[in-house]
Every structure is written in structure tokens, then in C-alpha cells.
Amino acid sequence: MKEFGLISRYFQQVAYERTDTLVGIGDDGAVTRVPAGQVLVTTTDTMVAGRHFLAATPADALAHKAIAVNLSDLAAMGAQPAWLNLSLSIPSFDEHWLQQFSTAFHELTKFYQVQLIGGDTVQGPLAITITAQGFVPEDAFLTRKTAKSGDWILVTGELGSAGGGLMKLQQGSGFDTSCHLIARHLYPEPQVLAGTCARRLASSAIDISDGLLQDLQHILNASSVGAHLDLDKLPIRPELIEWFGDEKKARLFSLTSGDDYQLLMTVSEEQRTQLESHLKSYDIPFVVIGKCTGALGKIDSVLNGKKFALNDLPSFGYQHFAD
Ligand code: ADP
Ligand code: MG
């Protein structure tokens, strides 16, 4: 099958059509309308086999993750997702794979009410690139740059689960989605609702893709603030503690493990109550894990109520295997 046949068989029949899409798949470009008073937010992420996902990952999980990581970036900007472009590099025409991938892809577009409006299809090593676009009122987008010393630090959902799931897969667990950690690794849930809730309330936001510490550091650097973290507050699951057999190990792991796709936000003392009640009204789980400080770019922490030096962390994830 040639490129055109493939596109029309698997991608042209989109599952979700938006009235603000004037031209979708099938022309040289898509034409879309951004509501008056709103601005367009655009983000791109590429996932390469063997580098961003295990080669054996089921096609439906890849479709899910490729969309989720992009919507997670939109969420961190406070944007409402609207459109996707899909650039697909596939080694061969594998009907079963394409069927599974496209079915999951279209299903998720319906769930998030986003329309696939274009893309590219080439033969090559397996790689999936998505460009996602969404919009937000022009005075309400969130960035990493505007946290202030004294602001509270919040995180949604749970940390470390996806990283724990990856460890399990690497150690030979099958793709068993009844295991909570593996499910969190394969099917991350972008915090779209939390992102729109945080508009005009949070002072800054970022999504956690590379681990809490690393992504918090981006906010600190961009905002010229420091942070104090209470590691006893980190939202970790009993399954993660059980996997490590040790709560402290699980807590420290959740600081640096990736792929959680939760939102990390800062909020001023004045706006905190309103942001919290807004999140609660949508049943979005979150916890306050610390506070911004004036110590530029520095993070200090307490664990079990005692000062804890984060410098000792780096190789932690590997120490587990060395045990
Ligand atoms: P062009 O040669 O003008 O770049 P293509 O032949 O690559 O166009 O694609 C034809 C149409 O199909 C375009 O509208 C393009 O956006 C769309 N398209 C191509 N690949 C995909 C894909 N994987 N998913 C969605 N749309 C796609
Ligand atoms: Mg092309």
C-alpha cells in the first residue's frame, strides 16, 4: 500500500470533528479558527523506539502516550487542547499495528475533543511525532517564569508510579495493565483539567516529564527562586512502596523518575485557597509539597521531619539493582 492509501484508510476518517476546523486532512495545510480574545499554544514531542519507549510496547499504548505527552504540555500552559498533527515514521506497512495504533489514537481524540488535522507519513525507523495546539484567553496562559519567593508548590496526582512501571517492564514483567505501576507508565493521564483550573490562579506551572526535581529546577531557574520541599508529602502509591520494599527508597525514587505527566504548580498565599477549592470541585487530587524560597536555583528538603541533602541522590535509581 502506498502512502495515500494508508493515510485514507487509517487517518483520514477522524473520530472527532470540530466546528472551528475549516480545512482538515486532505489538503496542503489545515485551516483553523482561534476564538477572539484567545491565543494559540503549540507544542511538539517526538517518541523514538528504543529511546522513548521499549520496542515491544503495544501500538495502542504508543498512540495513547504520544497524545498524552503533548496534551500534558498544553495543560502546563493552561491551554484547552484543540488540534493535533501526527507525523509517523514506520519501518513497514504492518496492517495489524496500524489498525491498533489508529483505533486507539482516534478514541483518545474523541475523549479529549481534539481533531487530527494533518500530518506526514514516511517509511523509516519507528518514531511518532505529534504537534498539539490549543488555546487559552490571552491574559491567562501559564509559564515557568513567574513563580515568586513565598509561593506554595503543588503537585497533582501521584509521583514515581510510571517510573516504577518502567522498572518492572525492564525486569521482564509483561505489559500487564492490571498492575497499577505498569498502567501508569503505559497510559499517562494528561492533567488538562488541572491546567485550565489553574488559569489566573497559579503563579507558574510545568508538567513533570523528566522527574520532579529536574522539572522543578526549570521553574526555579526561569523564575529566579529556590524551593523547600517536604519529602514526606510526596504523593506516592502503596504499590510503589511495596515494589521497593522500603518507603524511603520509594520517596527518593519519585523525585527523579520520569514519565509521570503530573502538573507542578506554584501559587501565592492569596490565591492558594481558591486554587485548592477549584481543583477539589473537579475531584483533581493534589498535595502541597513545599514552598518557593529566595535561595536562587537551590532546593533544600526535609525527610522524616529532618533536613535531607538532595545531593546524595543522583544514582539512586541504579542502586536498587546493585542491592
Ligand atoms: P503533502 O505532500 O502536501 O505534504 P501528504 O501527501 O504528505 O501531503 O499528505 C496528504 C494529507 O494527509 C495532508 O493533509 C496531510 O496533512 C495528511 N496526512 C499525512 N500523513 C498523515 C498522518 N499520519 N495523520 C494524519 N494526517 C496525515
Ligand atoms: Mg508529505
Side-chain angles (χ1 to χ4, degrees):
M1 175 175 285
K2 296 268 171 45
E3 181 189 347
F4 299 130
L6 188 156
I7 296 166
S8 73
R9 182 177 318 172
Y10 295 103
F11 296 108
Q12 192 137 15
Q13 289 304 321
V14 297
Y16 191 77
E17 287 189 72
R18 299 177 56 98
T19 53
D20 47 16
T21 306
L22 310 184
V23 179
I25 292 176
D27 218 308
D28 291 307
V31 182
T32 56
R33 184 182 282 127
V34 180
Q38 309 232 11
V39 287
L40 192 66
V41 179
T42 304
T43 183
T44 297
D45 254 300
T46 297
M47 299 192 338
V48 177
R51 185 160 194 102
H52 299 98
F53 57 88
L54 304 170
T57 308
D60 68 313
L62 292 181
H64 183 106
K65 195 155 186 171
I67 292 181
V69 303
N70 277 279
L71 298 191
S72 177
D73 281 325
L74 291 184
M77 304 299 291
Q80 182 68 47
W83 302 288
L84 299 179
N85 269 267
L86 168 66
S87 183
L88 203 52
S89 169
I90 41 177
S92 63
F93 177 74
D94 178 341
E95 228 169 299
H96 177 69
W97 190 93
L98 278 162
Q99 189 59 50
Q100 251 199 322
F101 179 89
S102 60
T103 301
F105 192 99
H106 291 305
E107 246 168 55
L108 210 60
T109 63
K110 232 180 340 188
F111 183 79
Y112 286 106
Q113 307 188 330
V114 290
Q115 182 173 345
L116 179 64
I117 52 170
D120 204 9
T121 308
V122 299
Q123 193 167 20
L126 182 57
I128 303 157
T129 300
I130 289 184
T131 298
Q133 294 178 299
F135 41 78
V136 53
E138 56 190 329
D139 61 344
F141 59 87
L142 301 165
T143 71
R144 306 171 176 189
K145 295 194 300 193
T146 38
K148 300 270 183 308
S149 175
D151 286 353
W152 296 99
I153 301 171
L154 265 83
V155 65
T156 61
E158 61 199 75
L159 294 177
S161 303
L166 177 59
M167 280 176 89
K168 287 190 102 159
L169 289 174
Q170 285 168 333
Q171 293 187 13
S173 298
F175 292 87
D176 170 16
T177 50
S178 69
C179 164
H180 179 80
L181 302 180
I182 291 175
R184 293 279 50 83
H185 174 75
L186 293 176
Y187 301 97
E189 287 170 10
Q191 297 298 302
V192 171
L193 199 51
T196 52
C197 272
R199 290 173 177 175
R200 301 195 181 90
L201 294 173
S203 57
S204 73
I206 190 168
D207 70 317
I208 306 177
S209 50
D210 299 328
L212 173 71
L213 286 186
Q214 199 161 315
D215 289 313
L216 173 61
Q217 195 70 52
H218 291 311
I219 287 191
L220 303 186
N221 295 347
S223 297
S224 301
V225 293
H228 172 77
L229 291 181
D230 183 348
L231 307 187
D232 299 314
K233 298 270 167 59
L234 297 176
I236 58 169
R237 295 273 301 206
E239 291 89 339
L240 192 69
I241 299 173
E242 196 186 316
W243 165 247
F244 280 98
D246 180 285
E247 178 164 346
K248 182 178 170 187
K249 279 191 177 177
R251 289 200 173 280
L252 297 183
F253 175 78
S254 77
L255 284 171
T256 55
S257 70
D259 285 340
D260 284 316
Y261 299 103
Q262 297 297 334
L263 280 196
L264 180 66
M265 301 180 255
T266 59
V267 63
S268 68
E269 170 70 20
E270 296 74 48
Q271 305 280 29
R272 177 178 167 176
T273 315
Q274 212 187 330
L275 176 59
E276 289 193 350
S277 58
H278 214 147
L279 292 169
K280 279 180 196 155
S281 71
Y282 287 102
D283 289 325
I284 299 167
F286 68 91
V287 279
V288 174
I289 58 168
K291 212 170 182 179
C292 295
T293 66
L296 295 196
K298 297 257 175 344
I299 307 176
D300 67 74
S301 73
V302 291
L303 179 65
N304 292 327
K306 289 197 296 263
K307 223 171 155 24
F308 180 81
L310 291 167
N311 318 355
D312 301 340
L313 271 182
S315 58
F316 176 80
Y318 296 100
Q319 282 170 20
H320 180 74
F321 294 105
D323 279 346

